[in-house]
Amino acid sequence: MSNSKYFQTILNGTIHALKSILPMDIEVKSPSIISEPFQQQQMGVLIGLIGDVKGRVIIDSSPDVFSGIGSTMFGMPLEGEMLESFTGEFGNMIAGNLCTTVGQESLEIDITPPTVMVGNTKLYGFEKAFVLPVSVPSIGALTVLLTIEEEG
């Protein structure tokens, strides 16, 4: 499978995962491609992809957005350590669902444990990445960054 096919499969799988996990209608906007560094503003979660494809899924947003999603999913607002724990688990849910979805396309990937990042961070270590903007009605915006390491 070519890298462009990998990207398309993972991009589609990520959109499917977001729509499956989030208990509300979301608006997924057109993806774009960026070069490093990626500037994380407030809070995010990074999950590594290993297997047929190596790369990362990074979900970036604000504590208010992650708290709003948690509140919608669990019926109570989240803050502090509970919010950070939820953010990591939210990344796990998205990436785990992604693995299942792309597995149906004969792409075998597994995920690493989540790394929650709080604060202003610059991320390096990739040539190009897909940026997938997502709007969650009445809650706010998420940015999903997908990197795939080039083979060779």
Side-chain angles (χ1 to χ4, degrees):
M1 199 182 280
S2 69
N3 278 336
S4 61
K5 178 73 172 140
Y6 282 152
F7 266 125
Q8 191 62 51
T9 301
I10 289 179
L11 200 56
N12 291 341
T14 302
I15 293 167
H16 179 270
L18 287 163
K19 289 183 175 182
S20 297
I21 300 298
L22 289 166
M24 67 279 286
D25 287 332
I26 60 169
E27 181 187 349
V28 179
K29 299 182 176 150
S30 296
S32 59
I33 296 177
I34 64 162
S35 299
E36 66 179 8
F38 174 73
Q39 185 77 38
Q40 177 198 286
Q41 298 302 321
Q42 297 178 43
M43 187 175 219
V45 57
L46 180 150
I47 310 260
L49 303 176
I50 53 177
D52 290 347
V53 171
K54 290 178 179 45
R56 293 175 231 38
V57 175
I58 297 141
I59 303 169
D60 178 46
S61 195
S62 69
D64 288 345
V65 170
F66 285 115
S67 182
I69 291 169
S71 182
T72 302
M73 291 175 80
F74 301 114
M76 60 183 265
L78 305 172
E79 55 188 39
E81 287 182 15
M82 200 168 197
L83 176 59
E84 292 171 11
S85 177
F86 167 74
T87 300
E89 201 47 50
F90 178 69
N92 258 349
M93 288 186 273
I94 299 297
N97 190 296
L98 168 63
C99 288
T100 303
T101 301
V102 301
Q104 296 166 353
E105 302 289 324
S106 302
L107 184 59
E108 296 298 318
I109 57 173
D110 203 354
I111 58 174
T112 65
T115 300
V116 176
M117 304 170 295
V118 178
N120 196 329
T121 307
K122 281 185 183 177
L123 299 173
Y124 293 89
F126 60 90
E127 256 182 62
K128 289 190 173 77
F130 275 102
V131 176
L132 191 62
V134 178
S135 177
V136 184
S138 73
I139 293 177
L142 290 171
T143 301
V144 180
L145 186 77
L146 299 167
T147 70
I148 294 181
E149 294 175 16
E150 298 290 326
E151 293 178 9

